Amino acid sequence: MTTHTEIAAPRRAKWQLKLPLLIWFSIAWLALMLLIAVTGDLWQPYEYQAIDLHARLQPPVWLEGGSWSHIFGTDHLGRDVLSRLVTSIQVSLLVALVGTLIGAVMGTLIGLIAAHFRGWVDDLVMIAIDYQAAIPFMILALAVVAFFSNSLLLFILLMGIYGWERYARITRGLALSSIQHGYAVAVRTLGASPWRIYGRHILPNIANALIVNMTLNFPQTIMLETSLSFLGLGIQPPMTSLGNMVGFGRDYLLTAWWLASLPALVIFFTTLAFALLGDWVRDRLDPTSR
Amino acid sequence: MTPLYALQKITRALLTVLLIVSTVFIVLRLSGDPAIYVLGLDADPQALDAFRTRWGLDQPIFVQYLQFLSNCLQGDFGYSYFEERDAMEAVLERLPQTLLLMGVTGLFTVLIGIPAGVYAALHHNSWIDRMTMLVSVAGFSLPNFVLGIFLILLFSVTWQLLPTGGSGTWQHLVMPVLTMTVAEAAVFARFTRSAMLEVLHQPYMRTARAKGLRWHQAVRRHALPNAAIPLVTVVGFFVGTLIAGGVVTESVFAWPGLGRLLVTSVANRDLAVVQIIVMLIACSMVLTNLIVDLLYGWLDPRVGSLRTGN
Amino acid sequence: MIPKSNSPTAQAPLLQVSDLRCAFKSSKRKGFFGPHHLIHAVNGVSFEVNAGEAFGLVGESGCGKSTTAKLILNMAHASGGSVLYRGQELVGLSHQAWKPLRRRLQYVFQDPLGALDPRMTVLDQVIEPLTIHQLHDRNQQRQLATQLLHSVGLQDHQLRKYPHELSGGQRQRVVLARALILEPELLICDEPISALDVSIQAQIINLLQELRRAMGLTLLFISHDLSVVRHLCERVAVMYLGQIVEMGPAKQLFNEPRHPYTQALISAIPKADPGQRSERIPLMGEPPSPAAPPAGCRFNPRCALATERCRNEVPTLVQSGDNHAVACFEAKIPVTEVA
């Protein structure tokens, strides 16, 4: 089966180093997003669900008819777009973060189990990895949502399952090579338990590769979450997420373009910043890769 | 490529298909009692029993499983309660539209992505290389629906050149194809570039120059064919993202294909249709990967002679 | 087959290895669906190490000497035989039962860089065995480790360094300290100096000798380097293709080697005194693969003395009165020394 990591982590590119401006932009943007996510209330002039039917579809302040009371305008129910945007950023980042962490922990654990027990356990894990890698995850997620009906818990779990196989593959490969020679053997002859060998020695040594994969996985989780929410099959109203906002804004493209394009811009800048920064970090952490 | 290698790959693909079908069956049974799902929670117990007898749900689970397999083989996947007709019929009706979209996208992806990647690699570290890679990163990190929304705003709302959605004329095809091509071509360009760079640094390229070939001759005769081999592996990934991207893109542009049908069926919990589409996609992925494996084994003799292909 | 200790003060040996065997499956099969080839890496090895002595195990690379060490320490799976440590059977012990024994048997690796965790300071790595065995409190651990690192020759400013920041010799000192901090009785050194520069090798050997005296260590020293073994060990066993071909007191074995293989190995040691020239006995060919050992004496294809008998019969290790054993039909055992 084809390995996807090879595609997403291509040959070391030099251009990032010569365009540090882009890296600065990425860091600044992500810092802003983080700030907004942490200090959400400060940025919200209104409750994000507060409906004001007298002020429906108001344009942003810089357009004709806009006012400072709704800087980014209002949606079809008169809800403040800025306030909704802030909550959406919080929700989207949180879901992606929790999802990435679940995937990382699960995948790493499965990879270690495969490497430790080998034999049929390993075979089983490898089949599962191939199987998962062969089917586009979005299709799998859609099927699960169809069969089990949507809920927030299920959705976050789905985001967690996304990408586990890459962590598992990386962990398994690196752990297998570490266990067989060198320091792991040495620590075993000292009488260390497997827990200690994996936890204290092998994991810290392969952490770099796992972190690199996390920088790849995180923006992809954001993309998956926003896509599913855009389709109306992810985060459900009254909760809101960036994809969700774009989805509802799509119906008003002709009359109120800001409804869809503002959250769409936020998504684009965030995923782009992650991609640029991820490439750059990968080069820094892993100068010998490829 | 040894026949054993091919045989092993084909057996594995068939096993995977069986695994997929079985998973669908298990998930189907896990997701709740179909009788209650169809007739409602407060249905008459007699009606429920009758329904179960009618669809064989009172049989032992193993018998149900065999029945399910035989139905699958006969192309009988059940009735779509939402579309009010045979589920397979509804799916087959949408298939040509999706294939059209994918075919055109695939064509443009190859026509744009590969030359861009080759050009970037040949001018490694030049500003054009950097720009190509920057555009590629942007294209790769731009979700389909975001790009689609921007395109609609530009071409339909501002310039009023193209219809916002639907199908029928070539104008309808422009934006969906453009949306999908950007992401796919970005991946192709990046991958082609790295494959080319790898090959350009091989000793045989120096040898080719040393024996008097001009640079462009050496590239054409040695670099391009060798860089094409790893490119084959990206095809499996390509089909996967094409399918996933198609689901979103079709929804953005109201394109009447399988992807859109899948999304509406999921929203309506029209399980019969979801089940067919998922199996169809899974099987085409397995088939794609099988073809990639066989092609790879054929192109690269080092792989094809290995006994264990994983 | 087991050589008995005939010394008058017959104490039970610290380590008694008898008929140890290790076979693993080759990836090649006999025919397409046939069984895997079995490779006998260690094929019936027996020896004993007495408390306080330094015992050398020598042979060419691939002869099974490292595998023997790994079998003793349960790092590889023995397919037969027994290893008694102070009378306790080690073969087949569980991880739990091994744990207290790890304090008493320690192992020093060939490649010190590989044996150290690249992401831990050397001080932490020397402390780690104490933590694993829950000995002393944090402060005492640090103190003990610092002391020991000093006594193997590291300086204060090097204790907080990572392995890649140290030289090869310093790393091997760290590995030694890590093995010694548990105050083991038996130290198994597997080619501890072969990865080091020649100038550093002598330092490590001297350190080893010093530590041995100071801590009353028993040493099982594995090496392909005969001159080092001669310098360090009291008794020596020579291995060839998974079997011991000669074993005896070091002085005697080096002065009057009886097995043609030992003779060839010793004749290849460069002499310090150029006047004392001896004829070098060349070894013919490469050692055969352990996957397909020759019939009869395993050394016969390379042996100048090989007879018809050597090609058909397997010689056993026969002991003469002077604690010197040899597995060769043609070996000349001095008549005067046979008791």
Side-chain angles (χ1 to χ4, degrees), chain A residues 1-4 6-8 10-16 18-19 22 126-127 130-131 133-140 142-149 216 220 223 226-228 230-233 242-243 246-247 249-250 253-254 257 260-261 263-265 267-268 271-273 275-276 279 282 290, chain B residues 12 16 19-20 23-24 27-28 30-31 124-125 129-130 133-134 137-138 140-143 145-146 149-150 152-153 156-157 164-165 187 190-191 193-194 197-198 201 232-234 236-237 240 243-244 247-248 251-254 262-263 265-267 269 271 274-275 278 281-282 285 289 292-293 310:
Chain A
M1 301 276 162
T2 42
T3 45
H4 297 182
E6 285 171 7
I7 292 138
R11 170 172 280 279
R12 191 152 110 96
K14 286 261 163 57
W15 54 266
Q16 298 95 331
K18 302 202 172 161
L19 290 173
L22 278 175
M126 284 313 285
I127 288 172
D130 278 354
Y131 187 50
I135 297 173
F137 189 79
M138 172 168 265
I139 306 302
L140 210 68
L142 284 176
V144 171
V145 169
F147 285 124
F148 296 102
S149 89
L216 264 171
Q220 285 174 354
M223 280 167 78
T226 51
S227 295
L228 283 171
F230 169 79
L231 294 175
L233 301 169
L242 291 171
V246 180
R250 192 212 173 282
L253 277 181
L254 291 174
W257 58 266
S261 39
L265 271 178
I267 295 170
F268 174 51
T271 48
L272 182 65
L276 291 173
D279 264 10
R282 266 192 295 290
R290 279 163 247 272
Chain B
R12 206 174 154 137
T16 314
L19 200 65
I20 290 164
T23 315
V24 168
V27 170
L28 215 56
L30 276 179
S31 63
H124 189 207
N125 274 338
D129 178 27
R130 280 175 224 137
M133 283 305 99
L134 188 62
V137 170
F140 188 61
S141 53
L142 190 62
F145 70 98
V146 170
I149 293 288
F150 288 150
I152 290 177
L153 278 174
S156 304
V157 179
T164 59
V187 175
R190 286 194 93 157
F191 198 81
R193 175 176 173 273
S194 78
L197 284 178
E198 195 83 33
H201 287 106
V232 169
T233 58
V234 87
F237 176 79
I243 290 171
V247 169
V248 178
S251 297
V252 174
F253 296 104
L262 177 63
V263 171
S265 303
V266 169
R269 299 203 67 198
L271 297 191
V274 173
Q275 179 194 324
V278 168
I281 290 172
M285 286 305 299
N289 282 317
V292 166
D293 278 346
N310 43 2

Side-chain angles (χ1 to χ4, degrees), chain A:
Chain A
M1 301 276 162
T2 42
T3 45
H4 297 182
T5 34
E6 285 171 7
I7 292 138
R11 170 172 280 279
R12 191 152 110 96
K14 286 261 163 57
W15 54 266
Q16 298 95 331
L17 303 179
K18 302 202 172 161
L19 290 173
L21 196 66
L22 278 175
I23 300 306
W24 278 115
F25 153 76
S26 305
I27 293 170
W29 177 265
L30 292 180
L32 178 69
M33 287 300 108
L34 195 67
L35 188 71
I36 290 174
V38 173
T39 61
D41 304 354
L42 300 177
W43 307 68
Q44 285 175 305
Y46 303 90
E47 182 73 23
Y48 79 97
Q49 296 177 6
I51 293 172
D52 181 2
L53 292 177
H54 298 294
R56 290 162 59 187
L57 295 176
Q58 280 196 8
V61 64
W62 62 86
L63 290 182
E64 207 181 317
S67 77
W68 283 102
S69 55
H70 297 288
I71 297 176
F72 286 161
T74 60
D75 69 1
H76 58 292
L77 294 173
R79 296 176 295 193
D80 183 53
V81 170
L82 173 61
S83 306
R84 293 186 70 71
L85 214 48
V86 169
T87 305
S88 295
I89 290 169
Q90 286 177 317
V91 169
S92 285
L93 285 185
L94 192 67
V95 168
L97 183 70
V98 173
T100 305
L101 288 179
I102 293 176
V105 170
M106 198 173 79
T108 307
L109 218 59
I110 292 176
L112 285 181
I113 288 171
H116 182 75
F117 291 103
R118 281 180 250 179
W120 65 268
V121 178
D122 189 23
D123 290 342
L124 209 67
V125 169
M126 284 313 285
I127 288 172
I129 288 176
D130 278 354
Y131 187 50
Q132 169 94 66
I135 297 173
F137 189 79
M138 172 168 265
I139 306 302
L140 210 68
L142 284 176
V144 171
V145 169
F147 285 124
F148 296 102
S149 89
N150 202 350
S151 74
L152 185 62
L153 186 69
L154 180 74
F155 186 63
I156 289 180
L157 266 178
L158 269 177
M159 295 301 110
I161 293 168
Y162 176 55
W164 73 270
E165 82 276 4
R166 262 180 267 159
Y167 295 101
R169 200 196 294 270
I170 293 169
T171 309
R172 176 187 168 275
L174 292 175
L176 270 181
S177 64
S178 313
I179 290 166
Q180 263 150 18
H181 27 70
Y183 56 92
V185 177
V187 179
R188 200 166 62 205
T189 65
L190 292 171
S193 64
W195 286 108
R196 189 178 184 87
I197 297 174
Y198 290 114
R200 280 292 182 81
H201 296 279
I202 290 180
L203 271 182
N205 275 290
I206 64 177
N208 267 2
L210 292 174
I211 290 171
V212 164
N213 192 46
M214 272 173 99
T215 65
L216 264 171
N217 190 219
F218 189 80
Q220 285 174 354
T221 309
I222 292 183
M223 280 167 78
L224 182 68
E225 182 271 321
T226 51
S227 295
L228 283 171
S229 296
F230 169 79
L231 294 175
L233 301 169
I235 299 289
Q236 298 292 320
M239 249 177 108
T240 177
S241 95
L242 291 171
N244 200 314
M245 282 182 81
V246 180
F248 285 107
R250 192 212 173 282
D251 299 336
Y252 298 90
L253 277 181
L254 291 174
T255 48
W257 58 266
W258 59 90
L259 287 187
S261 39
L262 287 177
L265 271 178
V266 173
I267 295 170
F268 174 51
F269 283 140
T270 309
T271 48
L272 182 65
F274 265 114
L276 291 173
L277 204 61
D279 264 10
W280 188 71
V281 167
R282 266 192 295 290
D283 279 1
R284 285 290 140 113
L285 271 183
D286 207 3
T288 55
S289 77
R290 279 163 247 272

Side-chain angles (χ1 to χ4, degrees), chain B residues 105-127:
Chain B
T105 304
L107 191 70
F108 278 103
T109 299
V110 171
L111 285 182
I112 296 169
I114 292 179
V118 170
Y119 192 82
L122 291 178
H123 299 82
H124 189 207
N125 274 338
S126 67
W127 70 269

